[in-house]
Amino acid sequence: MVDAREIRGAPLPLTSPDWSPFLPGIALWALALYLPLSGPLGRLEEALAAGSLPSPVQQVMLVVSSLLLALAIGVLADLSLSWALGPDWASSLGLIAAGWGLFTALASRAREDGE
């Protein structure tokens, strides 16, 4: 039987996680998934414009909600891929997804401009 006093110095694994391996992947996935999330954010912007809130409050609500949504989706994507593949692979895939999103956005803009 283990006495609680013997393990007092060791932190519990679920109470103090080290998030540092996940931070680059979370940021990359949040960046990569921001463009696909712009559709629901556009509907939120329309709903806020139809409301009676002042314009500065609408701007703040839109910025905060877009950052929170991108961060939440980035955390979910990175944690699920980290669980399945490992933190390094999840970060690498986040980098690839962010690069691909940038590439497709630039290609779409060039196609619209007729270049």
Side-chain angles (χ1 to χ4, degrees):
M1 187 166 200
V2 177
D3 188 11
R5 291 173 287 188
E6 294 175 10
I7 59 170
R8 177 176 274 168
L12 294 175
L14 295 177
T15 58
S16 60
D18 183 19
W19 287 88
S20 59
F22 298 106
L23 293 179
I26 289 170
L28 288 169
W29 279 110
L31 178 66
L33 297 174
Y34 184 75
L35 285 177
L37 293 174
S38 62
L41 292 173
R43 290 191 297 269
L44 175 65
E45 185 176 9
E46 292 171 2
L48 286 173
S52 62
L53 292 174
S55 180
V57 175
Q58 291 178 3
Q59 293 280 334
V60 169
M61 286 184 64
L62 188 61
V63 167
V64 169
S65 62
S66 65
L67 289 175
L68 288 176
L69 182 62
L71 181 64
I73 295 298
V75 166
L76 290 175
D78 191 59
L79 288 180
S80 61
L81 287 171
S82 293
W83 175 77
L85 303 172
D88 294 335
W89 278 99
S91 295
S92 297
L93 287 175
L95 179 63
I96 292 168
W100 182 254
L102 178 64
F103 172 74
T104 55
L106 291 174
S108 176
R109 182 170 293 159
R111 185 179 46 206
E112 289 173 0
D113 293 341
E115 292 179 7

